[in-house]
């Protein structure tokens, strides 16, 4: 199973983000109109792949920028934890004040700039 997922990840990473994003609206529309079918489920997965590629690139760019800023500043950039500004690990201590969760819109950025 892991080998299959790694092969899918390599194939997805080989695809151009801009080309994938050109398909975002098409698949978002298909997903918005639920139907209990294999076609709808495949559309959800395709949309998820597009989102995954975008998220991976955004995370990579943020990490790269933080590392570049850190190197230019001669050390760690202010406010960034050592070596990584991102973690999937749960914090050891509970937050002092509970923050309300936000629901993020599931839409691509507007590239009309």
């Amino acid at each position: 199973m892991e080998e299959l997922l790694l092969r899918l990840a390599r194939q997805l990473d080989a695809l151009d983000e801009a080309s994938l994003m050109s398909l975002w609206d098409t698949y978002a529309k298909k997903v918005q109109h639920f139907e209990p079918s294999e076609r709808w489920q495949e559309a959800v997965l395709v949309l998820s792949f597009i989102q995954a590629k975008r998220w991976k690139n955004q995370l990579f760019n943020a990490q790269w920028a933080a590392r570049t800023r850190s190197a230019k500043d001669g050390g760690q950039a202010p406010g960034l934890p050592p070596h990584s500004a991102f973690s999937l690990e749960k914090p050891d201590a509970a937050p002092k004040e509970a923050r309300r969760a936000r629901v993020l819109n599931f839409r691509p950025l507007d590239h009309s700039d």
Side-chain angles (χ1 to χ4, degrees), residues 12 19-20 33 36 47 51 56 74 76 83 87 97 104 108 110:
L12 181 58
S19 299
L20 287 171
H33 301 289
L47 187 60
Q51 288 294 115
K56 187 274 302 180
Q76 183 65 32
H83 305 295
S87 174
E97 182 180 316
L104 301 177
D110 182 16

Side-chain angles (χ1 to χ4, degrees), residues 12-108:
L12 181 58
D13 199 34
L15 300 175
D16 174 59
E17 180 185 347
S19 299
L20 287 171
M21 289 305 292
S22 71
L23 297 171
W24 197 96
D25 287 331
T26 300
Y27 282 91
K29 287 176 187 173
K30 290 179 182 184
V31 168
Q32 283 177 340
H33 301 289
F34 173 76
E35 58 182 59
S37 68
E38 189 173 321
R39 184 177 63 199
W40 182 84
Q41 293 177 57
E42 288 171 350
V44 170
L45 290 173
V46 169
L47 187 60
S48 298
F49 292 154
I50 295 167
Q51 288 294 115
K53 175 70 176 200
R54 177 135 182 94
W55 182 70
K56 187 274 302 180
N57 286 347
Q58 288 175 336
L59 181 59
F60 180 91
N61 291 339
Q63 292 289 330
W64 190 263
R67 180 173 287 187
T68 302
R69 279 192 308 271
S70 176
K72 285 181 183 177
D73 294 341
Q76 183 65 32
L80 293 175
H83 305 295
S84 176
F86 175 79
S87 174
L88 292 175
E89 299 295 323
K90 291 183 180 178
D92 292 335
K96 292 179 183 173
E97 182 180 316
R99 291 176 31 181
R100 295 189 85 174
R102 275 185 354 176
V103 175
L104 301 177
N105 289 335
F106 196 64
R107 304 216 180 271

